[in-house]
Amino acid sequence: MSDGTPADLFFDAAINLLQRVREEEAEPIRAAGTLLADTVAAGGRLFAFGAGHSSLAAQDVVYRAGGLALMNLLAVPGVVGVDVTPATLGSALERVDGLASAVLDTSPVRAGDALVIISLSGRNALPVEMALNARVLGVKVIGVTSVAYAAETTSRHVSGTFLKDHCDLVLDSKIAVGDAELTLDTIPAPFAPASTVVTTALLQAVMATAAATLAERGIEPPLLRSGNVDGGHEWNGRVMREYGDRIFYRH
Protein backbone atom coordinates (compact mmCIF):
# COMPACT_ATOMS: atom_id res chain seq x y z
CA MET A 1 0.00 0.00 0.00
CA SER A 2 1.48 3.37 -1.01
CA ASP A 3 1.40 6.78 0.66
CA GLY A 4 -1.85 8.02 2.17
CA THR A 5 -3.99 6.92 5.06
CA PRO A 6 -5.97 3.70 4.73
CA ALA A 7 -9.12 5.82 4.61
CA ASP A 8 -7.73 7.94 1.75
CA LEU A 9 -6.67 4.84 -0.15
CA PHE A 10 -10.07 3.22 0.26
CA PHE A 11 -11.85 6.33 -0.98
CA ASP A 12 -9.46 6.48 -3.95
CA ALA A 13 -10.16 2.82 -4.79
CA ALA A 14 -13.92 3.26 -4.51
CA ILE A 15 -13.89 6.44 -6.60
CA ASN A 16 -11.78 4.75 -9.28
CA LEU A 17 -14.22 1.84 -9.42
CA LEU A 18 -17.20 4.18 -9.63
CA GLN A 19 -15.51 6.09 -12.46
CA ARG A 20 -14.85 2.85 -14.34
CA VAL A 21 -18.45 1.77 -13.95
CA ARG A 22 -19.68 5.20 -15.02
CA GLU A 23 -17.60 5.11 -18.20
CA GLU A 24 -17.54 1.43 -19.14
CA GLU A 25 -21.11 0.48 -18.17
CA ALA A 26 -22.89 3.57 -19.52
CA GLU A 27 -24.68 1.66 -22.26
CA PRO A 28 -25.75 -1.32 -20.08
CA ILE A 29 -27.01 1.15 -17.46
CA ARG A 30 -29.08 2.94 -20.09
CA ALA A 31 -30.39 -0.35 -21.44
CA ALA A 32 -31.28 -1.63 -17.95
CA GLY A 33 -33.09 1.59 -17.06
CA THR A 34 -35.00 1.39 -20.33
CA LEU A 35 -35.94 -2.25 -19.66
CA LEU A 36 -37.36 -1.32 -16.25
CA ALA A 37 -39.25 1.62 -17.76
CA ASP A 38 -40.65 -0.66 -20.49
CA THR A 39 -41.79 -3.11 -17.80
CA VAL A 40 -43.54 -0.42 -15.76
CA ALA A 41 -45.21 1.07 -18.83
CA ALA A 42 -46.47 -2.36 -19.91
CA GLY A 43 -48.06 -3.06 -16.52
CA GLY A 44 -45.32 -5.36 -15.23
CA ARG A 45 -43.83 -5.51 -11.77
CA LEU A 46 -40.23 -5.08 -10.64
CA PHE A 47 -38.28 -7.35 -8.29
CA ALA A 48 -34.77 -7.38 -6.86
CA PHE A 49 -32.87 -10.31 -5.35
CA GLY A 50 -29.49 -10.62 -3.71
CA ALA A 51 -27.98 -13.10 -1.28
CA GLY A 52 -25.64 -12.32 1.61
CA HIS A 53 -24.08 -8.89 1.32
CA SER A 54 -25.38 -8.64 -2.24
CA SER A 55 -28.81 -8.36 -0.64
CA LEU A 56 -27.84 -4.93 0.67
CA ALA A 57 -27.93 -3.48 -2.84
CA ALA A 58 -31.26 -5.19 -3.49
CA GLN A 59 -32.76 -3.78 -0.30
CA ASP A 60 -31.45 -0.31 -1.17
CA VAL A 61 -33.85 0.01 -4.11
CA VAL A 62 -36.95 -1.27 -2.27
CA TYR A 63 -39.38 1.03 -0.40
CA ARG A 64 -36.88 3.84 -0.75
CA ALA A 65 -37.43 7.59 -0.69
CA GLY A 66 -36.66 8.80 -4.19
CA GLY A 67 -37.00 5.26 -5.54
CA LEU A 68 -39.55 3.44 -7.65
CA ALA A 69 -42.46 2.21 -5.57
CA LEU A 70 -42.86 -0.83 -7.81
CA MET A 71 -39.49 -2.35 -6.90
CA ASN A 72 -40.15 -5.33 -4.63
CA LEU A 73 -37.67 -7.50 -2.72
CA LEU A 74 -37.68 -11.15 -3.74
CA ALA A 75 -36.56 -12.63 -0.44
CA VAL A 76 -35.14 -16.10 0.10
CA PRO A 77 -35.36 -17.11 3.78
CA GLY A 78 -31.96 -17.42 5.39
CA VAL A 79 -29.95 -15.59 2.73
CA VAL A 80 -31.19 -11.99 2.92
CA GLY A 81 -28.65 -10.89 5.52
CA VAL A 82 -26.41 -11.83 8.39
CA ASP A 83 -29.28 -12.09 10.86
CA VAL A 84 -29.44 -15.87 10.37
CA THR A 85 -27.50 -17.93 12.93
CA PRO A 86 -24.94 -19.19 12.29
CA ALA A 87 -24.05 -16.61 9.64
CA THR A 88 -22.35 -19.33 7.60
CA LEU A 89 -25.76 -20.91 7.00
CA GLY A 90 -26.61 -18.13 4.57
CA SER A 91 -23.52 -18.91 2.51
CA ALA A 92 -24.37 -22.61 2.56
CA LEU A 93 -27.93 -21.99 1.35
CA GLU A 94 -26.60 -20.13 -1.69
CA ARG A 95 -25.15 -23.44 -2.87
CA VAL A 96 -28.34 -25.48 -2.46
CA ASP A 97 -29.87 -26.74 -5.72
CA GLY A 98 -33.62 -26.29 -6.02
CA LEU A 99 -34.00 -23.44 -3.55
CA ALA A 100 -34.46 -20.77 -6.23
CA SER A 101 -37.09 -22.89 -7.97
CA ALA A 102 -39.08 -23.24 -4.77
CA VAL A 103 -38.94 -19.50 -4.12
CA LEU A 104 -39.99 -18.53 -7.64
CA ASP A 105 -42.81 -21.07 -7.70
CA THR A 106 -44.34 -19.54 -4.55
CA SER A 107 -43.61 -15.89 -5.36
CA PRO A 108 -45.81 -13.37 -7.22
CA VAL A 109 -43.25 -13.15 -10.05
CA ARG A 110 -44.88 -13.78 -13.43
CA ALA A 111 -44.33 -13.36 -17.15
CA GLY A 112 -43.85 -9.73 -18.13
CA ASP A 113 -42.10 -8.78 -14.89
CA ALA A 114 -38.45 -7.77 -14.50
CA LEU A 115 -36.03 -9.23 -11.95
CA VAL A 116 -32.71 -7.71 -10.93
CA ILE A 117 -30.38 -10.41 -9.58
CA ILE A 118 -27.33 -9.21 -7.67
CA SER A 119 -24.47 -11.63 -7.04
CA LEU A 120 -20.89 -10.46 -6.79
CA SER A 121 -19.37 -13.78 -7.86
CA GLY A 122 -22.34 -15.06 -9.85
CA ARG A 123 -21.00 -18.58 -9.28
CA ASN A 124 -23.36 -20.06 -6.68
CA ALA A 125 -26.32 -22.27 -7.49
CA LEU A 126 -28.92 -19.86 -6.11
CA PRO A 127 -28.44 -16.84 -8.43
CA VAL A 128 -27.73 -19.00 -11.48
CA GLU A 129 -30.86 -21.09 -10.92
CA MET A 130 -32.87 -17.95 -10.16
CA ALA A 131 -31.92 -16.42 -13.51
CA LEU A 132 -32.47 -19.64 -15.44
CA ASN A 133 -35.92 -20.29 -14.02
CA ALA A 134 -37.07 -16.67 -14.15
CA ARG A 135 -36.40 -16.50 -17.87
CA VAL A 136 -38.32 -19.75 -18.40
CA LEU A 137 -41.27 -18.00 -16.74
CA GLY A 138 -41.02 -15.12 -19.22
CA VAL A 139 -39.35 -12.71 -16.81
CA LYS A 140 -36.68 -10.28 -18.00
CA VAL A 141 -33.48 -10.67 -15.96
CA ILE A 142 -30.87 -8.02 -15.25
CA GLY A 143 -27.74 -9.45 -13.65
CA VAL A 144 -25.42 -7.32 -11.54
CA THR A 145 -22.14 -9.12 -10.98
CA SER A 146 -18.37 -8.99 -11.28
CA VAL A 147 -17.62 -10.61 -14.61
CA ALA A 148 -14.02 -11.24 -13.49
CA TYR A 149 -15.18 -14.13 -11.31
CA ALA A 150 -16.24 -16.13 -14.36
CA ALA A 151 -12.66 -16.01 -15.67
CA GLU A 152 -10.90 -16.66 -12.36
CA THR A 153 -13.19 -19.08 -10.46
CA THR A 154 -15.30 -22.14 -11.21
CA SER A 155 -19.09 -22.28 -11.11
CA ARG A 156 -20.88 -24.02 -8.24
CA HIS A 157 -23.96 -24.68 -10.36
CA VAL A 158 -24.43 -28.10 -11.93
CA SER A 159 -24.41 -26.50 -15.40
CA GLY A 160 -20.95 -25.02 -14.90
CA THR A 161 -22.30 -21.61 -15.85
CA PHE A 162 -22.46 -18.23 -14.09
CA LEU A 163 -25.19 -15.67 -13.50
CA LYS A 164 -23.92 -13.60 -16.42
CA ASP A 165 -24.72 -16.47 -18.79
CA HIS A 166 -28.46 -16.36 -18.11
CA CYS A 167 -29.41 -12.67 -18.21
CA ASP A 168 -31.08 -10.39 -20.71
CA LEU A 169 -28.67 -7.66 -19.57
CA VAL A 170 -25.49 -7.80 -17.48
CA LEU A 171 -24.05 -4.94 -15.42
CA ASP A 172 -20.39 -5.50 -14.50
CA SER A 173 -19.41 -4.01 -11.14
CA LYS A 174 -15.69 -4.36 -11.97
CA ILE A 175 -14.96 -5.62 -8.45
CA ALA A 176 -11.78 -7.70 -8.24
CA VAL A 177 -12.05 -11.33 -7.18
CA GLY A 178 -11.98 -11.45 -3.39
CA ASP A 179 -13.70 -8.06 -2.90
CA ALA A 180 -10.96 -6.32 -0.90
CA GLU A 181 -9.22 -3.20 -2.13
CA LEU A 182 -6.33 -2.70 0.28
CA THR A 183 -3.26 -4.61 1.47
CA LEU A 184 -0.69 -3.94 4.19
CA ASP A 185 2.51 -5.80 4.98
CA THR A 186 1.39 -5.97 8.61
CA ILE A 187 -1.98 -7.54 7.76
CA PRO A 188 -2.01 -11.10 6.37
CA ALA A 189 -5.20 -10.71 4.31
CA PRO A 190 -6.50 -8.07 1.90
CA PHE A 191 -9.18 -5.84 3.42
CA ALA A 192 -11.66 -2.99 2.80
CA PRO A 193 -14.38 -4.32 0.43
CA ALA A 194 -16.01 -1.88 -2.02
CA SER A 195 -18.66 -4.03 -3.67
CA THR A 196 -21.59 -2.58 -1.70
CA VAL A 197 -20.62 1.02 -2.50
CA VAL A 198 -20.18 0.33 -6.20
CA THR A 199 -23.14 -2.01 -6.70
CA THR A 200 -25.52 0.29 -4.87
CA ALA A 201 -24.42 3.28 -6.95
CA LEU A 202 -24.72 1.21 -10.12
CA LEU A 203 -28.30 0.25 -9.32
CA GLN A 204 -29.30 3.77 -8.31
CA ALA A 205 -28.00 4.96 -11.68
CA VAL A 206 -30.28 2.39 -13.33
CA MET A 207 -33.25 3.54 -11.24
CA ALA A 208 -32.59 7.17 -12.13
CA THR A 209 -32.49 6.21 -15.81
CA ALA A 210 -35.77 4.31 -15.51
CA ALA A 211 -37.54 7.23 -13.83
CA ALA A 212 -36.29 9.73 -16.40
CA THR A 213 -37.20 7.42 -19.28
CA LEU A 214 -40.77 7.09 -18.03
CA ALA A 215 -41.04 10.86 -17.70
CA GLU A 216 -39.75 11.32 -21.26
CA ARG A 217 -42.65 9.15 -22.42
CA GLY A 218 -45.19 11.25 -20.55
CA ILE A 219 -45.64 8.70 -17.75
CA GLU A 220 -45.27 9.94 -14.19
CA PRO A 221 -42.74 7.59 -12.59
CA PRO A 222 -44.23 5.99 -9.44
CA LEU A 223 -41.69 7.44 -7.02
CA LEU A 224 -41.79 7.41 -3.24
CA ARG A 225 -41.02 10.47 -1.14
CA SER A 226 -39.44 10.62 2.28
CA GLY A 227 -41.87 10.22 5.13
CA ASN A 228 -39.78 12.79 6.98
CA VAL A 229 -40.76 15.69 4.72
CA ASP A 230 -44.11 17.46 4.96
CA GLY A 231 -46.64 15.78 2.70
CA GLY A 232 -44.49 12.69 2.20
CA HIS A 233 -46.93 10.22 3.74
CA GLU A 234 -49.82 11.63 1.71
CA TRP A 235 -47.79 11.42 -1.48
CA ASN A 236 -46.79 7.82 -0.80
CA GLY A 237 -50.36 6.88 0.08
CA ARG A 238 -51.53 8.11 -3.31
CA VAL A 239 -48.81 6.19 -5.16
CA MET A 240 -49.52 2.99 -3.23
CA ARG A 241 -53.25 3.24 -3.88
CA GLU A 242 -52.65 3.77 -7.58
CA TYR A 243 -50.16 0.93 -7.91
CA GLY A 244 -51.24 -1.29 -5.01
CA ASP A 245 -51.67 -4.38 -7.18
CA ARG A 246 -47.98 -4.20 -8.16
CA ILE A 247 -46.53 -3.60 -4.68
CA PHE A 248 -45.93 -6.64 -2.48
CA TYR A 249 -44.13 -5.26 0.58
CA ARG A 250 -47.36 -4.08 2.20
CA HIS A 251 -50.40 -5.95 3.48
Side-chain angles (χ1 to χ4, degrees), residues 112-200:
D113 292 344
L115 171 60
V116 179
I117 301 177
I118 305 141
S119 174
L120 179 61
S121 73
R123 69 188 298 219
N124 287 313
L126 185 54
V128 174
E129 184 183 306
M130 187 77 74
L132 270 165
N133 289 18
R135 293 181 84 191
V136 170
L137 292 174
V139 175
K140 294 292 186 182
V141 175
I142 298 171
V144 185
T145 188
S146 171
V147 172
Y149 275 82
E152 300 182 39
T153 68
T154 56
S155 170
R156 289 176 174 148
H157 187 257
V158 64
S159 67
T161 59
F162 287 76
L163 169 62
K164 73 175 186 62
D165 300 316
H166 305 287
C167 300
D168 295 279
L169 288 169
V170 175
L171 299 172
D172 184 2
S173 64
K174 316 293 181 183
I175 301 296
V177 174
D179 190 18
E181 295 299 321
L182 305 183
T183 58
L184 269 178
D185 291 342
T186 54
I187 299 177
F191 60 104
S195 61
T196 302
V197 173
V198 176
T199 305
T200 299

Side-chain angles (χ1 to χ4, degrees), residues 43-67:
R45 296 85 59 80
L46 310 179
F47 296 86
F49 165 76
H53 285 94
S54 290
S55 72
L56 296 174
Q59 293 176 59
D60 191 61
V61 295
V62 176
Y63 189 54
R64 183 64 190 265

Side-chain angles (χ1 to χ4, degrees), residues 18-153:
L18 288 169
Q19 191 62 44
R20 279 192 66 196
V21 167
R22 179 181 184 176
E23 295 172 357
E24 298 173 22
E25 298 300 294
E27 177 52 30
I29 288 169
R30 185 204 63 77
T34 301
L35 189 155
L36 294 185
D38 290 344
T39 303
V40 172
R45 296 85 59 80
L46 310 179
F47 296 86
F49 165 76
H53 285 94
S54 290
S55 72
L56 296 174
Q59 293 176 59
D60 191 61
V61 295
V62 176
Y63 189 54
R64 183 64 190 265
L68 292 171
L70 304 192
M71 183 60 74
N72 301 278
L73 185 67
L74 182 60
V76 177
V79 305
V80 174
V82 293
D83 56 334
V84 63
T85 303
T88 51
L89 175 59
S91 299
L93 289 172
E94 289 185 63
R95 299 192 289 271
V96 173
D97 293 326
L99 183 55
S101 301
V103 170
L104 282 172
D105 289 347
T106 56
S107 78
V109 177
R110 68 188 186 193
D113 292 344
L115 171 60
V116 179
I117 301 177
I118 305 141
S119 174
L120 179 61
S121 73
R123 69 188 298 219
N124 287 313
L126 185 54
V128 174
E129 184 183 306
M130 187 77 74
L132 270 165
N133 289 18
R135 293 181 84 191
V136 170
L137 292 174
V139 175
K140 294 292 186 182
V141 175
I142 298 171
V144 185
T145 188
S146 171
V147 172
Y149 275 82
E152 300 182 39
T153 68

